[in-house]
PDB file of all heavy atoms in Angstrom:
ATOM      1  N   ASP A  92     -14.654 -10.996-107.053  1.00 94.00           N
ATOM      2  CA  ASP A  92     -14.107 -11.753-105.943  1.00 94.00           C
ATOM      3  C   ASP A  92     -14.132 -10.871-104.691  1.00 94.00           C
ATOM      4  O   ASP A  92     -14.833  -9.881-104.657  1.00 94.00           O
ATOM      5  CB  ASP A  92     -12.695 -12.378-106.350  1.00 94.00           C
ATOM      6  CG  ASP A  92     -11.715 -11.360-106.598  1.00 94.00           C
ATOM      7  OD1 ASP A  92     -11.857 -10.089-106.383  1.00 94.00           O
ATOM      8  OD2 ASP A  92     -10.560 -11.798-106.956  1.00 94.00           O
ATOM      9  N   ILE A  93     -13.220 -11.029-103.806  1.00 96.00           N
ATOM     10  CA  ILE A  93     -13.245 -10.309-102.544  1.00 96.00           C
ATOM     11  C   ILE A  93     -12.276  -9.145-102.450  1.00 96.00           C
ATOM     12  O   ILE A  93     -12.223  -8.341-101.560  1.00 96.00           O
ATOM     13  CB  ILE A  93     -12.835 -11.138-101.295  1.00 96.00           C
ATOM     14  CG1 ILE A  93     -11.366 -11.761-101.415  1.00 96.00           C
ATOM     15  CG2 ILE A  93     -13.842 -12.263-101.193  1.00 96.00           C
ATOM     16  CD1 ILE A  93     -10.881 -12.495-100.266  1.00 96.00           C
ATOM     17  N   TYR A  94     -11.369  -8.898-103.578  1.00 96.00           N
ATOM     18  CA  TYR A  94     -10.294  -7.935-103.458  1.00 96.00           C
ATOM     19  C   TYR A  94     -10.644  -6.659-104.032  1.00 96.00           C
ATOM     20  O   TYR A  94     -11.239  -6.522-105.097  1.00 96.00           O
ATOM     21  CB  TYR A  94      -9.075  -8.466-104.164  1.00 96.00           C
ATOM     22  CG  TYR A  94      -8.535  -9.680-103.317  1.00 96.00           C
ATOM     23  CD1 TYR A  94      -8.571 -10.921-103.805  1.00 96.00           C
ATOM     24  CD2 TYR A  94      -7.907  -9.446-102.095  1.00 96.00           C
ATOM     25  CE1 TYR A  94      -8.114 -11.979-103.138  1.00 96.00           C
ATOM     26  CE2 TYR A  94      -7.518 -10.557-101.382  1.00 96.00           C
ATOM     27  CZ  TYR A  94      -7.485 -11.728-101.830  1.00 96.00           C
ATOM     28  OH  TYR A  94      -7.038 -12.874-101.242  1.00 96.00           O
ATOM     29  N   TYR A  95     -10.262  -5.508-103.281  1.00 97.00           N
ATOM     30  CA  TYR A  95     -10.282  -4.154-103.804  1.00 97.00           C
ATOM     31  C   TYR A  95      -8.779  -3.690-104.057  1.00 97.00           C
ATOM     32  O   TYR A  95      -7.845  -4.258-103.407  1.00 97.00           O
ATOM     33  CB  TYR A  95     -10.732  -3.265-102.670  1.00 97.00           C
ATOM     34  CG  TYR A  95     -12.172  -3.509-102.298  1.00 97.00           C
ATOM     35  CD1 TYR A  95     -12.528  -4.433-101.411  1.00 97.00           C
ATOM     36  CD2 TYR A  95     -13.185  -2.752-102.825  1.00 97.00           C
ATOM     37  CE1 TYR A  95     -13.867  -4.720-101.061  1.00 97.00           C
ATOM     38  CE2 TYR A  95     -14.523  -2.869-102.384  1.00 97.00           C
ATOM     39  CZ  TYR A  95     -14.795  -3.943-101.598  1.00 97.00           C
ATOM     40  OH  TYR A  95     -16.190  -4.110-101.233  1.00 97.00           O
ATOM     41  N   LEU A  96      -8.690  -2.827-105.000  1.00 97.00           N
ATOM     42  CA  LEU A  96      -7.339  -2.185-105.311  1.00 97.00           C
ATOM     43  C   LEU A  96      -7.538  -0.556-104.925  1.00 97.00           C
ATOM     44  O   LEU A  96      -8.406  -0.016-105.654  1.00 97.00           O
ATOM     45  CB  LEU A  96      -6.910  -2.353-106.684  1.00 97.00           C
ATOM     46  CG  LEU A  96      -6.648  -3.836-107.100  1.00 97.00           C
ATOM     47  CD1 LEU A  96      -6.607  -4.078-108.593  1.00 97.00           C
ATOM     48  CD2 LEU A  96      -5.196  -4.199-106.384  1.00 97.00           C
ATOM     49  N   GLU A  97      -6.708  -0.140-104.067  1.00 98.00           N
ATOM     50  CA  GLU A  97      -6.800   1.315-103.709  1.00 98.00           C
ATOM     51  C   GLU A  97      -5.435   1.992-103.891  1.00 98.00           C
ATOM     52  O   GLU A  97      -4.365   1.438-103.557  1.00 98.00           O
ATOM     53  CB  GLU A  97      -7.189   1.397-102.262  1.00 98.00           C
ATOM     54  CG  GLU A  97      -7.190   2.698-101.693  1.00 98.00           C
ATOM     55  CD  GLU A  97      -7.348   2.694-100.169  1.00 98.00           C
ATOM     56  OE1 GLU A  97      -7.057   1.784 -99.408  1.00 98.00           O
ATOM     57  OE2 GLU A  97      -7.760   3.866 -99.608  1.00 98.00           O
ATOM     58  N   ALA A  98      -5.545   3.245-104.487  1.00 98.00           N
ATOM     59  CA  ALA A  98      -4.363   4.002-104.683  1.00 98.00           C
ATOM     60  C   ALA A  98      -4.085   4.604-103.270  1.00 98.00           C
ATOM     61  O   ALA A  98      -4.864   5.235-102.601  1.00 98.00           O
ATOM     62  CB  ALA A  98      -4.569   5.087-105.694  1.00 98.00           C
ATOM     63  N   LEU A  99      -2.791   4.410-102.802  1.00 98.00           N
ATOM     64  CA  LEU A  99      -2.337   4.915-101.551  1.00 98.00           C
ATOM     65  C   LEU A  99      -1.760   6.339-101.597  1.00 98.00           C
ATOM     66  O   LEU A  99      -1.514   7.019-100.670  1.00 98.00           O
ATOM     67  CB  LEU A  99      -1.364   4.002-100.775  1.00 98.00           C
ATOM     68  CG  LEU A  99      -1.903   2.649-100.494  1.00 98.00           C
ATOM     69  CD1 LEU A  99      -0.897   1.788 -99.780  1.00 98.00           C
ATOM     70  CD2 LEU A  99      -3.162   2.813 -99.630  1.00 98.00           C
ATOM     71  N   GLU A 100      -1.450   6.762-102.932  1.00 97.00           N
ATOM     72  CA  GLU A 100      -0.985   8.027-103.163  1.00 97.00           C
ATOM     73  C   GLU A 100      -1.457   8.273-104.665  1.00 97.00           C
ATOM     74  O   GLU A 100      -1.865   7.358-105.375  1.00 97.00           O
ATOM     75  CB  GLU A 100       0.452   8.156-103.028  1.00 97.00           C
ATOM     76  CG  GLU A 100       1.237   7.110-103.783  1.00 97.00           C
ATOM     77  CD  GLU A 100       2.772   7.024-103.366  1.00 97.00           C
ATOM     78  OE1 GLU A 100       3.039   7.206-102.160  1.00 97.00           O
ATOM     79  OE2 GLU A 100       3.594   6.928-104.275  1.00 97.00           O
ATOM     80  N   PRO A 101      -1.330   9.479-105.156  1.00 98.00           N
ATOM     81  CA  PRO A 101      -1.612   9.678-106.678  1.00 98.00           C
ATOM     82  C   PRO A 101      -0.902   8.782-107.462  1.00 98.00           C
ATOM     83  O   PRO A 101       0.331   8.637-107.287  1.00 98.00           O
ATOM     84  CB  PRO A 101      -1.226  11.197-106.801  1.00 98.00           C
ATOM     85  CG  PRO A 101      -1.277  11.863-105.503  1.00 98.00           C
ATOM     86  CD  PRO A 101      -0.896  10.735-104.567  1.00 98.00           C
ATOM     87  N   THR A 102      -1.563   8.085-108.385  1.00 98.00           N
ATOM     88  CA  THR A 102      -1.128   6.923-109.130  1.00 98.00           C
ATOM     89  C   THR A 102      -1.326   7.072-110.545  1.00 98.00           C
ATOM     90  O   THR A 102      -2.437   7.314-110.940  1.00 98.00           O
ATOM     91  CB  THR A 102      -1.662   5.549-108.510  1.00 98.00           C
ATOM     92  OG1 THR A 102      -1.266   5.426-107.143  1.00 98.00           O
ATOM     93  CG2 THR A 102      -1.163   4.408-109.324  1.00 98.00           C
ATOM     94  N   GLN A 103      -0.366   6.851-111.447  1.00 97.00           N
ATOM     95  CA  GLN A 103      -0.418   6.814-112.862  1.00 97.00           C
ATOM     96  C   GLN A 103      -0.183   5.468-113.343  1.00 97.00           C
ATOM     97  O   GLN A 103       0.841   4.819-112.963  1.00 97.00           O
ATOM     98  CB  GLN A 103       0.581   7.769-113.444  1.00 97.00           C
ATOM     99  CG  GLN A 103       0.600   9.225-112.868  1.00 97.00           C
ATOM    100  CD  GLN A 103      -0.636   9.954-113.126  1.00 97.00           C
ATOM    101  OE1 GLN A 103      -1.162   9.846-114.284  1.00 97.00           O
ATOM    102  NE2 GLN A 103      -1.126  10.699-112.202  1.00 97.00           N
ATOM    103  N   THR A 104      -1.062   4.893-114.147  1.00 97.00           N
ATOM    104  CA  THR A 104      -0.832   3.507-114.666  1.00 97.00           C
ATOM    105  C   THR A 104      -0.943   3.552-116.189  1.00 97.00           C
ATOM    106  O   THR A 104      -1.510   4.467-116.788  1.00 97.00           O
ATOM    107  CB  THR A 104      -1.810   2.523-114.168  1.00 97.00           C
ATOM    108  OG1 THR A 104      -3.098   2.819-114.703  1.00 97.00           O
ATOM    109  CG2 THR A 104      -1.921   2.603-112.602  1.00 97.00           C
ATOM    110  N   LEU A 105      -0.549   2.488-116.824  1.00 96.00           N
ATOM    111  CA  LEU A 105      -0.819   2.122-118.197  1.00 96.00           C
ATOM    112  C   LEU A 105      -1.697   0.788-118.108  1.00 96.00           C
ATOM    113  O   LEU A 105      -1.288  -0.154-117.422  1.00 96.00           O
ATOM    114  CB  LEU A 105       0.424   1.750-119.002  1.00 96.00           C
ATOM    115  CG  LEU A 105       1.317   3.035-119.282  1.00 96.00           C
ATOM    116  CD1 LEU A 105       2.550   2.533-120.008  1.00 96.00           C
ATOM    117  CD2 LEU A 105       0.439   4.060-120.116  1.00 96.00           C
ATOM    118  N   SER A 106      -2.919   0.867-118.526  1.00 96.00           N
ATOM    119  CA  SER A 106      -3.882  -0.215-118.385  1.00 96.00           C
ATOM    120  C   SER A 106      -4.050  -0.984-119.629  1.00 96.00           C
ATOM    121  O   SER A 106      -4.055  -0.471-120.723  1.00 96.00           O
ATOM    122  CB  SER A 106      -5.186   0.535-118.031  1.00 96.00           C
ATOM    123  OG  SER A 106      -6.288  -0.426-117.739  1.00 96.00           O
ATOM    124  N   LEU A 107      -4.111  -2.308-119.459  1.00 96.00           N
ATOM    125  CA  LEU A 107      -4.475  -3.273-120.478  1.00 96.00           C
ATOM    126  C   LEU A 107      -5.718  -3.933-120.183  1.00 96.00           C
ATOM    127  O   LEU A 107      -5.751  -4.728-119.316  1.00 96.00           O
ATOM    128  CB  LEU A 107      -3.358  -4.250-120.672  1.00 96.00           C
ATOM    129  CG  LEU A 107      -2.269  -4.001-121.686  1.00 96.00           C
ATOM    130  CD1 LEU A 107      -1.107  -5.044-121.752  1.00 96.00           C
ATOM    131  CD2 LEU A 107      -2.848  -3.967-123.114  1.00 96.00           C
TER     132      LEU A 107
END
Side-chain angles (χ1 to χ4, degrees):
D92 67 6
I93 64 171
Y94 293 109
Y95 295 84
L96 293 166
E97 176 188 20
L99 298 181
E100 57 191 38
T102 299
Q103 310 293 318
T104 72
L105 290 176
S106 180
L107 261 175

